[in-house]
Amino acid sequence: MPRFEWSRSGEPNPPPVGIPALVERWGSDTAEAHRVIQGENLAVLQALLPELEGQVKLVCIDPPFFTGKAWSMKFPGLETERHAFTDSRWGSVDGFLDFLHRRLVLLHRLLAEDGSLFLHLDYRVAHYARLVMEEVFGADRLLNEIVWSYASGGGSGERFGRKHDTILWFAKGPRHTFNADAVRVPYRAAIAPSRRDSFHEDGMVAPDVWEISRGRNGDGATGYPTEKPAALVERMILAASNEGDLVLDAFGGSGSLAVAAASLGRRCISIDQSPLAIHCHRRQLSTMDVPFRIELYHGDIQLGSQTGIDLRPEQGLLGTQFTLCGNVVPELDGWALEEVGPRSGPLKPLWLVWREKKDRQPRMTSDPISLTGRKPFLRISAWTIDGTMFENLYELPMRD
């Protein structure tokens, strides 16, 4: 068969060093907790192999598209932006394909024998990526070349509008999960009453052209650049996994896959190098009442010092309200309160608030809180818009 060649670096992957270290723990620390890992994904994937080789049911990845751009995230209300990721470091298509191939090889090893992988790209390199995927998985493992068709963007007076991306779906082995009834869509043509018994009452199985609106960049749940709509990632998860299955995203970005997986009863591992991306995960998962862990693989832990943030209490009929005061963190994005002892454990906030999109800061006064009086401190946790975490302890009066 024809052979696809590109200039490969030939350098071996650097050996893994240790395992991801726990930075934050939210909710119960159980095997069902979702994992959000900050680190370079090639190194993280290698570090996960001894623990998870052959155990991941579904991989969904949305890597950089070889755009040559540096992407930033804007923050309405603050008139500021932060660097999110760079898509211009490859130098050539060969460099990009080498980058992609190394990660696909590791993801293939992590997949279960009946697992599958969705790879999302666009017109720039999708045609090359299919051949790379065929080398790693085998040409006979292609299940679908999906066209995601959307109405926004891509217009031009010099060519047809570019209104679609490509999603390649490959299976690892001869068997794979496909939940046809979970991804049915309405029939496009009217059905005569006399023929309705011949058709499924919930519609037809979705074809390989997915018409799902994408909105404008920055209009999603987080405002992270290149954020994908929930309906898109939910369709992949529903089609190719079952409740309780482990799904993985090696380019976590805005956290769309992690949020969708959590809402659909799957376990998720999401990896990204950007502290901003990790904060998008934290922001969303913290409001979902699901346990999750934030881990760090060989990098700088994004922790601020104890800055003198303090609380001013006001007793009311329904409990105590606390106002954040003292040396308040600049560009504050959210804060939480939790009753703790001298040795604090996982974050289980009594109260948590995040800044609304167009506000300059979150609410600075909590709802009324009922304290047990059995623990000596309130832990104050605060996060900036780029995810730096600050903590302090407020001493509480103890009851007899």
Side-chain angles (χ1 to χ4, degrees), residues 86-164:
T86 300
D87 187 11
S88 59
R89 62 186 186 273
W90 326 111
S92 66
V93 172
D94 283 1
F96 179 83
L97 295 179
D98 190 60
F99 163 88
L100 186 62
H101 177 261
R102 287 166 173 257
R103 287 149 181 81
L104 288 172
V105 168
L106 296 175
L107 290 167
H108 184 267
R109 291 179 60 185
L110 286 165
L111 276 173
E113 288 303 312
D114 60 348
S116 62
L117 182 149
F118 289 95
L119 170 62
H120 180 176
L121 288 164
D122 70 2
Y123 68 92
R124 296 173 180 88
V125 288
H127 48 301
Y128 297 123
R130 173 171 172 173
L131 297 175
V132 176
M133 289 281 286
E134 288 183 359
E135 177 180 311
V136 176
F137 284 77
D140 59 337
R141 296 292 182 242
L142 174 67
L143 298 173
N144 281 112
E145 183 174 359
I146 298 162
V147 172
W148 172 31
S149 174
Y150 41 78
S152 60
S156 173
E158 299 178 352
R159 50 172 168 72
F160 294 111
R162 290 171 177 155
K163 304 281 188 181
H164 82 274

Side-chain angles (χ1 to χ4, degrees), residues 146-190:
I146 298 162
V147 172
W148 172 31
S149 174
Y150 41 78
S152 60
S156 173
E158 299 178 352
R159 50 172 168 72
F160 294 111
R162 290 171 177 155
K163 304 281 188 181
H164 82 274
D165 290 355
T166 300
I167 301 172
L168 301 169
W169 185 27
F170 276 76
K172 181 173 182 177
R175 297 180 297 107
H176 67 279
T177 296
F178 181 57
N179 300 313
D181 287 344
V183 289
R184 291 186 177 274
V185 296
Y187 292 106
R188 295 184 176 181

